[in-house]
Amino acid sequence: MKKTGVILAIFALLLAVSACASKVEREENFTPTPLPTATATPEPTPEPTPTATLTPTAVPTPTPTATPEPTPTPTATPLAVALPERNNDDPPHVFVGAVTVNGLVASDGTEVTVWVAEFNRPIGTSFTDGGNYSVLAHQHGTDSFVGRTIIFRVNGEETGETGTWEKGGATVLALSLE
């Protein structure tokens, strides 16, 4: 049996060799089956993220706010003291000058008075003549007026002009009332 197995093996070998050596037509134009080529998978293009577009709005025109006026702090107004009797021991201070009312020469007879602030009456009174005044500011009482401020009024209204009282003094001062 061994011989039979060897013979069979040889026979199978011969058969295989003869099949290879036979003239079987082969295709010379062999076209291989194409294999798919690897291509990159496209990545999707990211969609842009929408951003808010600023839309200008109308700027309101500011309305001016009224600046509050400061409320003046009330001060105690001293009550006017009665004017003492005129003191004829000291010579008066004389004030002279032109008077205008609303930019015009004061008419004859316009009243001009001189005051010391704390008294209830003037210390001198005169009337204009030709647009000019001349008033004697007399010393009153025993307290000297030397260095005191003299206030001028035309027809009862303060002019804003002031003078300084001097014993026997003389001052030229134009007065105006607007």
Side-chain angles (χ1 to χ4, degrees):
M1 244 207 206
K2 272 192 176 185
K3 279 188 186 181
T4 317
V6 172
I7 294 178
L8 273 176
I10 291 176
F11 179 71
L13 184 64
L14 284 177
L15 188 60
V17 170
S18 67
C20 286
S22 70
K23 290 198 174 190
V24 176
E25 273 191 46
R26 297 186 184 177
E27 287 185 32
E28 297 282 326
N29 295 335
F30 173 72
T31 305
T33 304
L35 295 174
T37 53
T39 56
T41 304
E43 291 191 27
T45 305
E47 290 290 323
T49 304
T51 57
T53 303
L54 298 177
T55 304
T57 58
V59 177
T61 304
T63 303
T65 304
T67 304
E69 293 291 324
T71 303
T73 305
T75 56
T77 304
L79 297 175
V81 176
L83 183 65
E85 291 295 316
R86 185 162 80 184
N87 180 343
N88 291 321
D89 293 338
D90 292 329
H93 186 130
V94 62
F95 291 93
V96 297
V99 179
T100 58
V101 177
N102 295 323
L104 302 173
V105 173
S107 59
D108 288 350
T110 300
E111 182 184 52
V112 175
T113 55
V114 291
W115 299 70
V116 173
E118 69 264 20
F119 296 117
N120 64 353
R121 291 192 354 242
I123 61 171
T125 301
S126 81
F127 296 93
T128 58
D129 183 19
N132 294 304
Y133 77 99
S134 174
V135 64
L136 297 176
H138 295 280
Q139 169 70 50
H140 287 257
T142 56
D143 292 336
S144 176
F145 285 173
V146 173
R148 304 279 289 275
T149 300
I150 303 300
I151 300 166
F152 292 83
R153 291 184 181 173
V154 172
N155 286 338
E157 294 184 51
E158 286 190 29
T159 63
E161 286 94 356
T162 60
T164 302
W165 196 90
E166 297 172 15
K167 185 175 7 178
T171 302
V172 176
L173 180 65
L175 304 175
S176 62
L177 183 64
E178 298 301 322

